Amino acid sequence: MGPPGAGKTSVGRTVARTLGVPVIDVDDDILETTWKMPVAAKLLAVGGQRFLEEEGQVLCSLSASGCVVSLSGSNPLHDEAMQHVRRGGVVVYLDVDLEDILRRLTRMKVDRIVGQEGGATLRDILLYRKQFYEKWLDVRVLCGTGDTVEGVARKVLKAVERYEGAETYVSTRGCSGGSTSFSDVVVEGLATDGGLYVPRGGVPQLDAGEWRRLVDMSYPERALVLLEKCVHPLDVSALDLRTMVLQAYGSNFSSEEVAPVKHLHRNQYVQELFHGPTASFKDLALQLMPQLFAYCLPSTCNYLILVATSGDTGSAVLSGFGSLAGADRQKTGVLVFFPEEGVSEIQKLQMMSYREGHARAVSVRSDFDFCQRSIKRMFGESGLTGHLAVEYGTVLSTANSINWARLLPQLVYHSSAYLDLCRDGVVTFGEPVDVCIPTGNFGNAMSALYAKRMGVPIRKVICASNHNRIVTDFITTGQYDLRGRPLMLSHSPAIDILKSSNLERFIYHVSGGDSRLVRDLFTRLDGQQHFQVPEPLLGRIQQEVQAGWCSEDDCLDAIRRVHTQTGYVLDPHTAVAQVVAERLQDGSTPLVLSSTAHYGKFAPAVFKALGIPDTPEDPVEQLKKLGSTASRPGEHREMMKCLKGRSRGGHTVCQAEYGVLVEEVENMIHDSFLKVM
């Protein structure tokens, strides 16, 4: 299936010849044989609307198996005909660049396309039809400019082989008992052996021609193509995935570009990941992940999503799951644990604005690591999970970046940053860039490494730590050591983390999938609070990533310096990245700074950095005053609206005891699911 001029007939013949099966061309072998006249003559005789109806009825009578069928360009405009076709086979969409098709059709002087008789231009006809190809596809074959017929045929065969197979996931620790489906991975979150799920075959790779096709696409279009490559169409159909993506990245983002890239100065660029509803990069994953979760849910029980947050994840999870509707919302609850003293006041107020029965945030008199460790312990205690399932009909899951469905959407924005630089002429495809990422739980950095594995020409992923420099120390020395190491509060609380969960995926990645090594290392970390990787592995780690750290004074100085030089206000996390990038990056390639949050979420630190006196106590007034100071980026309206509508009430504060957190889980289940029964 594809538009006129996509090469369906030539590709169909090549595929059929390779498979040794018959080929049917609908135009030549079915329509003209049935009508006893050329297709162009039929169109001229009856007009466009009647042509579509008669063409559709002919296709409805087609009975074929064990062959390749090349549809006409207008077949997908007839619903009944396409439903008939899909019952009998796999619909492969040849997604060819519009300009390529227009050049081909101009050379061919085609005059038998429905719509031409009414005076519409070829461009308008093709743009109108795209929605129908998207509606009916089972598998997309993205065709690069200059692809040969043989090359496209090979892609078709590979796509159909993938469609007829299965894609499964394994634990980084290799003890979960075989392979797991995408749906189970999304719903379970954490593997039963305590490891993290990864695709058995790794992430897919795109060729240069496919990447170039993405350059001129919008963010949702790029996301759809990349996620179709990563999610098997029998796990989530292409049409359903498209619906989710368009809902995730629509009017809920304040920028039409979703994750725009802006020039900062010299070779440095900022990717603004804070235009979502809660003003942090977590929205890029958490506007989509809850839809995937609801899609994969079995109908037999309720699910409680447990989340530990160092600030931004909490409000993003509450927003994302809060947007679910109907039955999905009724059987899904969300409970967020956050450190009482470890998040900014605005982050806390954002979380407190969600007070519905199925969504709640609770603070803990401890740090993020305690919250995350407690949640992992709950997942690992079969007595607890069994009790909740039997007694309350409720299963636990997670939306932290340990969940593959949380991590997966993040590789899209790293890919999109590079594609934006290509579109704007900063690089041509194939020229390298570096990416510097504020790093705490390592999920953002890991998604950049997956984007690199898929074919994005990222030279170095630079991990930037604040004075809690556990990741920097590990990448520098190969030793991960938590012994006697206190967590220190900082101006960049989202990366105030000592136990970096996604580091497990990274070690699995660089070790070539050595699950035994991963299991031994992280078992040692759990029991002895430290491990050391072998020297050869450390060498491979340092080939993949660089790392540095930034003091509190240097962080504030960077905010002040960059604002003086450019008028741009960095949030403290992006400032940490900017400091580390200045130290480690050699300036020979463009550098993308992942700007993970809007500066308004950390107003007191920004006031201090910019030397603005008389900081207002009220968060709304803080944002207003900052907005009058900063020329760019602008005020975040959704965050302002959320704070203006906030409740004045207090919130639950727990002692740092595991049993107390378990009680909160049971209370949440009771309030969310049992009261309504």
Side-chain angles (χ1 to χ4, degrees):
M1 176 184 70
K8 300 182 295 296
T9 299
S10 300
V11 171
R13 287 172 180 162
T14 304
V15 170
R17 186 168 58 248
T18 303
L19 296 175
V21 299
V23 61
I24 298 173
D25 183 85
V26 168
D27 271 341
D28 297 341
D29 301 330
I30 305 297
L31 298 179
E32 295 193 353
T33 300
T34 302
W35 291 333
K36 304 291 193 294
M37 68 170 69
V39 169
K42 181 71 170 181
L43 176 58
L44 184 62
V46 303
Q49 283 303 114
R50 185 173 170 188
F51 177 91
L52 289 176
E53 183 58 34
E54 291 192 23
E55 179 191 50
Q57 291 306 317
V58 171
L59 191 59
C60 284
S61 65
L62 174 66
S63 177
S65 63
C67 62
V68 176
V69 178
S70 296
L71 299 176
S72 77
S74 53
N75 281 155
L77 278 66
H78 194 282
D79 282 5
E80 185 183 354
M82 290 306 296
Q83 289 165 358
H84 172 72
V85 167
R86 288 190 81 186
R87 283 194 290 268
V90 180
V91 180
V92 180
Y93 170 36
L94 300 188
D95 187 345
V96 180
D97 179 65
L98 175 63
E99 301 304 324
D100 271 4
I101 290 177
L102 288 171
R103 283 191 290 269
R104 294 179 195 176
L105 294 178
T106 301
R107 287 197 305 269
M108 296 162 60
K109 299 181 180 179
V110 173
D111 61 354
R112 62 175 192 178
I113 297 176
V114 175
Q116 282 182 303
E117 79 285 354
T121 66
L122 279 175
R123 181 181 296 274
D124 287 343
I125 291 169
L126 296 174
L127 288 172
Y128 171 73
R129 288 190 181 185
K130 185 175 175 61
Q131 62 184 304
F132 298 97
Y133 304 135
E134 297 279 355
K135 176 180 179 179
W136 294 112
L137 71 94
D138 288 315
V139 179
R140 182 193 309 270
V141 169
L142 192 65
C143 305
T145 300
D147 277 0
T148 64
V149 169
E150 291 74 17
V152 175
R154 285 193 293 271
K155 287 184 178 182
V156 170
L157 291 166
K158 185 176 180 181
V160 173
E161 181 182 15
R162 178 194 179 215
Y163 183 87
E164 293 177 340
E167 290 176 353
T168 56
Y169 296 77
V170 294
S171 169
T172 50
R173 302 189 186 185
C175 298
S176 284
S179 300
T180 307
S181 71
F182 179 80
S183 294
D184 288 341
V185 164
V186 173
V187 173
E188 291 174 13
L190 190 68
T192 54
D193 60 8
L196 308 186
Y197 284 118
V198 291
R200 176 178 287 280
V203 292
Q205 292 185 314
L206 282 70
D207 63 38
E210 291 173 312
W211 283 113
R212 291 190 186 98
R213 278 291 315 282
L214 299 181
V215 168
D216 293 322
M217 291 186 184
S218 67
Y219 189 93
E221 289 171 332
R222 292 168 180 172
L224 181 58
V225 170
L226 293 173
L227 293 172
E228 281 178 357
K229 295 276 188 181
C230 296
V231 180
H232 194 281
L234 294 181
D235 289 320
V236 181
S237 73
L239 180 60
D240 289 330
L241 186 60
R242 182 173 186 266
T243 301
M244 294 180 207
V245 166
L246 294 181
Q247 182 174 326
Y249 307 120
S251 59
N252 48 341
F253 279 77
S254 59
S255 169
E256 286 187 10
E257 296 179 79
V258 180
V261 176
K262 306 288 180 67
H263 182 245
L264 190 62
H265 67 148
R266 301 196 308 271
N267 71 318
Q268 294 184 2
Y269 296 80
V270 174
Q271 186 178 28
E272 296 180 344
L273 300 172
F274 48 70
H275 290 287
T278 70
S280 90
F281 79 105
K282 305 296 175 71
D283 290 323
L284 275 299
L286 283 162
Q287 289 299 300
L288 178 63
M289 184 265 184
Q291 297 182 71
L292 290 169
F293 186 89
Y295 186 91
C296 295
L297 275 183
S299 58
T300 53
C301 55
N302 299 313
Y303 279 81
L304 179 63
I305 312 297
L306 295 182
V307 175
T309 183
S310 52
D312 290 327
T313 297
S315 57
V317 168
L318 292 164
S319 169
F321 277 91
S323 66
L324 296 178
D328 292 332
R329 190 169 187 173
Q330 291 303 314
K331 63 181 183 181
T332 306
V334 181
L335 179 58
V336 174
F337 292 115
F338 67 92
E340 171 67 13
E341 301 299 329
V343 300
S344 78
E345 188 63 23
I346 288 177
Q347 287 175 316
K348 188 180 294 185
L349 288 170
Q350 281 184 300
M351 287 186 277
M352 291 304 105
S353 69
Y354 296 91
R355 292 180 174 274
E356 301 170 19
H358 285 63
R360 185 183 305 167
V362 172
S363 74
V364 182
R365 296 191 188 281
S366 187
D367 54 30
F368 168 81
D369 287 320
F370 173 80
C371 298
Q372 182 166 254
R373 187 168 61 249
S374 297
I375 287 176
K376 281 192 169 185
R377 181 176 168 185
M378 291 181 207
F379 278 98
E381 289 191 357
S382 57
L384 174 63
T385 56
H387 164 70
L388 297 178
V390 173
E391 188 73 19
Y392 302 120
T394 300
V395 177
L396 300 181
S397 188
T398 180
N400 281 91
S401 59
I402 57 178
N403 190 313
W404 177 250
R406 242 297 301 279
L407 196 67
L408 183 59
Q410 293 182 238
L411 64 81
V412 175
Y413 61 71
H414 288 299
S415 304
S416 188
Y418 184 83
L419 295 167
D420 278 0
L421 294 178
C422 291
R423 181 198 62 201
D424 296 341
V426 178
V427 294
T428 57
F429 188 85
E431 295 177 340
V433 299
D434 292 335
V435 180
C436 189
I437 301 169
T439 305
N441 222 14
F442 210 82
N444 201 351
M446 193 66 234
S447 61
L449 290 165
Y450 281 129
K452 179 178 180 180
R453 182 65 63 92
M454 289 184 75
V456 179
I458 296 172
R459 183 180 67 165
K460 281 287 185 180
V461 173
I462 302 171
C463 300
S465 307
N466 59 23
H467 57 192
N468 292 296
R469 56 184 192 267
I470 188 84
V471 171
T472 297
D473 289 350
F474 169 69
I475 291 169
T476 304
T477 67
Q479 184 176 45
Y480 205 92
D481 194 349
L482 296 172
R483 293 172 296 185
R485 188 165 194 154
L487 185 76
M488 298 180 286
L489 300 182
S490 75
H491 297 306
S492 47
I495 54 175
D496 285 348
I497 294 171
L498 291 179
K499 198 165 184 180
S500 183
S501 287
N502 271 287
L503 205 65
E504 182 163 339
R505 279 195 178 103
F506 177 54
I507 293 176
Y508 184 89
H509 172 82
V510 294
S511 68
D514 189 340
S515 56
R516 177 176 293 180
L517 171 68
V518 171
R519 182 171 67 251
D520 290 347
L521 291 177
F522 284 89
T523 300
R524 192 175 308 148
L525 184 65
D526 289 339
Q528 303 175 24
Q529 297 292 288
H530 73 99
F531 66 71
Q532 174 80 43
V533 299
E535 195 66 29
L537 182 59
L538 177 60
R540 293 200 292 275
I541 287 170
Q542 292 172 345
Q543 287 176 356
E544 290 270 4
V545 296
Q546 289 180 287
W549 69 281
C550 167
S551 71
E552 292 293 272
D553 289 342
D554 286 344
C555 169
L556 297 182
D557 182 65
I559 296 172
R560 180 169 53 251
R561 172 173 46 79
V562 170
H563 180 254
T564 300
Q565 292 173 347
T566 69
Y568 195 100
V569 178
L570 303 174
D571 92 287
H573 305 80
T574 314
V576 168
Q578 204 275 339
V579 170
V580 171
E582 288 276 335
R583 292 174 184 164
L584 297 183
Q585 213 257 354
D586 59 15
S588 64
T589 66
L591 170 80
V592 178
L593 300 172
S594 280
S595 186
T596 53
H598 190 274
Y599 62 83
K601 300 187 84 165
F602 310 97
V606 176
F607 277 116
K608 184 176 181 180
L610 299 182
I612 300 173
D614 304 321
T615 302
E617 288 189 11
D618 184 78
V620 172
E621 294 305 315
Q622 291 176 6
L623 293 182
K624 287 181 179 178
K625 189 167 184 176
L626 271 183
S628 65
T629 302
S631 58
R632 60 189 186 117
E635 179 184 275
H636 197 286
R637 293 177 183 175
E638 280 300 313
M639 180 167 59
M640 181 72 82
K641 186 164 63 176
C642 169
L643 294 178
K644 283 182 178 178
R646 70 191 187 276
S647 168
R648 296 282 179 180
H651 63 279
T652 303
V653 183
C654 290
Q655 295 301 316
E657 297 176 19
Y658 174 72
V660 174
L661 269 62
V662 170
E663 285 181 19
E664 285 296 326
V665 168
E666 293 189 330
N667 291 339
M668 181 67 185
I669 291 172
H670 182 270
D671 293 345
S672 297
F673 306 126
L674 302 187
K675 279 187 176 180
V676 298
M677 292 177 65

